[in-house]
Structures are given as C-alpha cells and as structure tokens.
Amino acid sequence: MSTIILGIESSCDDTSAAVISDGLLLSNVIASQKVHEEYGGVVPELASRAHQQNIVPVVDAAIKRAGIDKSDLSAIAFTRGPGLLGSLLVGTSFAKGLSLGLRIPIVDVNHLHGHVLSHFVRQSPDDIVPEFPFICLLISGGNSQIVLVKSYRDMEILGQTIDDAAGEAFDKCAKVMGLPYPGGPHIDRLAAEGDSKRFKFAKPHIPGLDYSFSGLKTSFLYTLRDEVKKNPDFIPENMADLAASLQATIIDILLDKLDKAVKQTGVKTVAIGGGVSANSGVRSAIADYCERHHLKAFIPQRAFTTDNAAMVAIAGYYKYLDRDFCPYDAAPFARVTM
Ligand code: KG4
C-alpha cells in the first residue's frame, strides 16, 4: 500500500496544501493572499483570517487534483513553526481536526526543514535528488542560513544572519524605491536591464559564516537620500541600475559565505531554497559557482522556492516513515531553529 501524505502550509501569507504518494508529488495548491499588498508587508491578523477562508477549499482542491479520496491518506503533515502564530494556528487546528475525523496520525514539520527538503519532492520517479551530506543556502524573507544537511532529520546551522534576512534586504530596499510588496521579484525583473556595477553599497565584515544585511540596507538608503536631494527624479530615472547593483551586492554577500562553508566542510553538493532562491541572479550565480568548483548544484523549480505545502508533505513523509507522530496537545512555535 502506498504512503500518502497531505501537507498543509500556513506559516505566513500563503495557504497551501499538497499530496505526496511514496515521495511522488500528486498535487500542490497555493492560494496567495493579495490583501497585504496595500499595506507594504504582511498584516498578521489579516493573514490568519485569509487562511481561515482559504484552508478548506485549498485542501479540497489538493485532494481532488491528486485524484485520491481523503480516506486514502496515511497521515497529515503540517507546518508547526516558525512563522506567524495566528497563521500557524489555522493549519495546526485544521490538521488536528481532519486527523481526528479520518483517524490518521499528524506529523509536525519545521518550516525550515521543509525548505531544505523541497529538493526531495519528486515529480517523476527519475528525478534526481541530492546525496547527503550537502550544504543548503536557505534564503527567504525571514531567514538566511547556511545549513549542513547530514540526513533528512539531521541538519546543522553553520551560519545565519545576525539581523535582516536576504529577502528583507530585497523587500526593504524595494520599498524605498516605491516598488510594491514583496519587492524581491520586482528587483529581479528590473535588475535584468540594469548596470550592476554602477552603484557600490557597503558590504558587511562579519567573522565566520554568519550574515548581516542591515548595513547594506542603510548604505542603500543613504545613497538614495543624497542623490534625491540633488535630483528628485533620481530613483525613477535609475531604477534598473539601482536594482541590478543591489542584487549583485546581495549575491556577493551570499556567495562569499557559501564559498567559506564549502571549503570548511569539503562537501560536493550545494542546494538553495527559500523565496530568494527564485531570484534569477542568485540562481545563475550559484550555478556558475558550482560549475567552477566542480560541485553538484540543486536549484529548485520556482514553484518550490516560496512557501508551499509540497515541501511540508515531503518532510512529513520522512518523519512518518520513522513513525515520529505529533501529539494532539502540540501548539505552534513562532520561533524555532533547525
Ligand atoms: O520563502 P518565502 O516565500 O517566505 C518566507 O520568508 O518564509 O520568501 C519570501 C521572500 C520575500 O522576501 C520575497 O521578496 C523574496 O522571497 N523573493 C525574491 C524573489 N521571489 C521572492 N527575492 C528576490 N528575487 C525574487 N525573484
């Protein structure tokens, strides 16, 4: 009999449900919440309400698209943290209710493990997945980490941001440029037409493998403030060059630490994950770096870079195989490490 896992993701502003059968993806449905755009960031209370509205139709669609009946499910995996507590509560409570109704176990998933394990979601039995150990550069709106992945369950954080995440650097600078939230994809689009060498922004000098992005944000802000004083149209006139230079600086910062981590560990495989791994510049820089250093690169399909339930289902699948189920009194965590 197949092991069929329903995954539920509700940690931030995407409600998602996915079905995985013996590690093979059958469906992955995502409802993104547009309600936050006008506020320039995610409003937690609105996110919880939207999850509440979305969760039943999203789960229903995932089960239908998978071509299964809910009675076929072996277990329900859900994101327990980190994330927004109100949002996580919706997914957690829904998973508990459905599991009680179907009399199947629940499996709690660390969202960060999910991002790392998104590389194990197979869409075809021939899909190649990373071999352990590998390094995963986890770059999202809430996290920037270099993770040494030793097995499905054993992950060690080698370095992480001491302030802003890479995605925050994209989003906060984009906001100053007057771009909509989230700004990362807009910077990506503009950067393709800009001169990445035109502007120089400050790079951090943090020892070891930790990152910092708040200095870059300040440096970006000061550059703009001085230029706008001289020419009020400076930002609109220089959007593409600003975007390209910002993106190139973020990539430099990421690659510098990744290179140190690769040399320190001697691993031969590098993967990237999280929303920022959708960035075209980041993707090609990582691919180039790996080619130059004879490393295997795992660059996820864009659908699996931002929050999605396929990664939750696959992480839950491996926990399910270990019979590591979650008790019903489990509450979500706003913060949690690996
Ligand atoms: O992983 P994610 O969906 O959510 C969490 O933070 O968990 O990541 C969202 C982040 C946002 O900061 C967004 O701007 C960034 O990923 N992002 C991008 C791109 N697409 C999404 N940043 C740069 N370029 C992109 N193409």
Side-chain angles (χ1 to χ4, degrees):
M1 222 176 79
S2 300
T3 299
I4 305 185
I5 308 288
L6 169 70
I8 294 176
E9 158 62 33
S10 71
S11 65
C12 190
D13 60 341
D14 293 303
T15 321
S16 179
V19 176
I20 279 189
S21 174
D22 293 333
L24 213 61
L25 185 68
L26 300 184
S27 66
N28 185 36
V29 177
I30 304 176
S32 299
Q33 304 177 358
K34 296 275 170 251
V35 63
H36 309 286
E37 268 171 20
E38 64 180 287
Y39 300 98
V42 177
V43 184
E45 178 63 28
L46 294 179
S48 316
R49 289 186 220 174
H51 282 304
Q52 195 70 261
Q53 288 169 339
N54 292 343
I55 194 135
V56 172
V58 165
V59 168
D60 204 40
I63 289 173
K64 284 208 179 92
R65 277 186 215 173
I68 59 154
D69 186 83
K70 56 183 183 309
S71 61
D72 299 326
L73 291 172
S74 313
I76 302 163
F78 67 96
T79 304
R80 185 171 174 187
L84 301 171
L85 266 185
S87 294
L88 290 163
L89 270 169
V90 177
T92 304
S93 308
F94 184 87
K96 286 181 187 178
L98 189 60
S99 107
L100 284 169
L102 296 173
R103 295 175 193 271
I104 53 173
I106 42 172
V107 182
D108 58 326
V109 169
N110 177 331
H111 182 79
L112 304 175
H113 281 209
H115 273 304
V116 172
L117 297 179
S118 62
H119 292 280
F120 293 87
V121 175
R122 286 184 168 94
Q123 288 173 286
S124 130
D126 304 329
D127 285 352
I128 295 167
V129 299
E131 276 171 29
F132 300 114
F134 66 92
I135 278 181
C136 184
L137 184 60
L138 191 57
I139 36 179
S140 70
N143 296 280
S144 293
Q145 299 180 329
I146 301 181
V147 183
L148 179 61
V149 188
K150 299 172 194 169
S151 73
Y152 298 115
R153 307 286 300 273
D154 189 3
M155 303 184 194
E156 185 190 340
I157 299 174
L158 301 177
Q160 58 189 323
T161 182
I162 56 166
D163 42 57
D164 287 349
E168 271 177 288
F170 273 108
D171 296 342
K172 288 178 177 170
C173 294
K175 191 171 182 176
V176 179
M177 288 165 69
L179 293 166
Y181 176 85
H186 297 281
I187 298 280
D188 192 354
R189 183 177 41 80
L190 284 164
E193 285 145 34
D195 173 4
S196 63
K197 297 201 168 59
R198 167 115 182 260
F199 299 105
K200 297 268 170 279
F201 303 118
K203 284 192 206 150
H205 297 281
I206 310 290
L209 297 176
D210 283 340
Y211 284 113
S212 165
F213 287 100
S214 70
L216 166 61
K217 183 184 63 191
T218 312
S219 159
F220 186 83
L221 210 70
Y222 281 154
T223 303
L224 257 53
R225 189 197 57 182
D226 294 345
E227 295 295 341
V228 168
K229 260 191 210 157
K230 291 183 251 164
N231 169 17
D233 288 328
F234 177 77
I235 298 178
E237 283 172 11
N238 295 287
M239 288 289 251
D241 291 349
L242 283 167
S245 304
L246 172 69
Q247 184 168 295
T249 312
I250 293 176
I251 292 170
D252 267 4
I253 298 172
L254 290 172
L255 274 186
D256 176 49
K257 295 297 169 108
L258 176 68
D259 183 51
K260 283 200 178 105
V262 166
K263 290 190 173 132
Q264 201 171 296
T265 57
V267 297
K268 297 284 171 231
T269 304
V270 169
I272 53 171
V276 178
S277 64
N279 182 271
S280 321
V282 170
R283 294 167 81 86
S284 56
I286 296 285
D288 283 356
Y289 171 82
C290 287
E291 205 180 313
R292 271 188 279 121
H293 293 83
H294 310 291
L295 305 168
K296 266 195 202 146
F298 282 84
I299 316 260
Q301 282 178 30
R302 283 202 163 80
F304 301 128
T305 56
T306 46
D307 292 346
N308 67 87
M311 67 185 202
V312 177
I314 196 76
Y317 170 68
Y318 292 114
K319 272 187 109 171
Y320 177 87
L321 295 183
D322 289 345
R323 293 286 180 268
D324 185 357
F325 305 141
C326 176
Y328 282 105
D329 61 358
F333 301 119
R335 288 176 195 284
V336 62
T337 58
M338 279 287 169

